[in-house]
Amino acid sequence: MAEKKGIIAAGGIVGIISVLLVYFGNPVNMGFCIACFIRDTAGAMGLHRALVVQYIRPEIIGLVLGAFVISLKNKEFKATGGSSPFTRFILGIAVMIGALMFLGCPLRMVLRIAGGDLNAIVGLVGFVVGIFVGVLFLNKGFNLKRSYKMSRMEGYLFPALNVGLLFMLLAGASFLFFSEEGPGSMHAPIWIALIAGLIVGALAQRTRLCMVGGMRDLIMFKDSYLLSGFLAIVVFAFIGNLIFGYFNLGFVDQPIAHTDGLWNFLGMVLVGWASVLLGGCPLRQLILAGEGNTDSAITVMGMLVGAALAHNFGLASSGEGATFNGQIAVGICLSVIFVVSIVNSELVGKDKSKEMLKETNN
């Protein structure tokens, strides 16, 4: 799987699975969306009360458990943590606020492109700009300090939490909230969604699939390995959308999307920049958490809280466009990550920073 053909095959499978999830009930252009699914899960747990986005998404559970099982099998499971945990928590909140401004994570962004949503291309430009800014700080020596080896129990806790969520979902726990209309009410059957998540989680763990890492590596090292996986997702999802009749080219009348170009752009600038500082996109954070990385688990918890904040305080966009509160929040988050970038830069040399990134990818 280390060869490029492996990640291209994995990307193709993810693209096909994403379209099939739509066929089985997920919203159009949302076969997989890490930010949207974490938001729905936060709603199901009562962390926010937006009635149309409440459902524990089995795909998220599958991603974590798929990565967990494969990492154990291949002796790659390592319980680590302690790398600026609260900073990572705040950055996780920022990623979610940016993603809910745009209405999608990097994975959904490419799926929206594959479905003909031209607003997602505007988001892609912003995403690339955000990654470029993040890379500038990496070249200035940005890092969040080293992580440390922890007891295996620490690494087991996040996968165990997801097992608990699965049991609650299967049991239909009365204290959970489930949407009766809107995107949260649209979902594939539990077992289909869970199996899809397990497959994608296993593939992402083996190939290190990461949109942010792909763009970062292309800019810093001229390495297209990771990026080729996401290009494969676009191609295969595009073909699948054509086959099932989901393709709709244009800016308007796109499912769960808005046409405010400036805030699509700035939302994804925020996602790209913050994700570079974190070392990976939301998908990658879930996979790392499944491998025992508690720093990534804390980042995911930050995203969960970010989703709650976004809907409790009117920060999330809708099909009508960006809210004023959301615009203020994105501005604040961009200011915060600028400060984080400055404070944590110039601590190691440029060459040392690149060496650390290469070690992380391996």
Side-chain angles (χ1 to χ4, degrees), residues 10 32 36 50 63 82 94-95 100 136 139 172 233 248 250 268 271 293 296 303 307 360:
F32 256 109
C36 305
L63 286 171
V95 167
L100 293 182
L136 292 179
N139 284 330
I233 292 174
N248 175 32
M268 290 309 288
V271 172
N293 188 320
S296 290
M303 293 177 65
T360 299

Side-chain angles (χ1 to χ4, degrees), residues 346-361:
E346 300 180 349
L347 301 178
V348 295
K350 175 179 177 180
D351 293 337
K352 181 67 174 176
S353 179
K354 286 192 174 184
E355 290 175 9
M356 290 171 65
L357 280 169
K358 288 182 178 178
E359 290 177 2
T360 299
N361 288 338

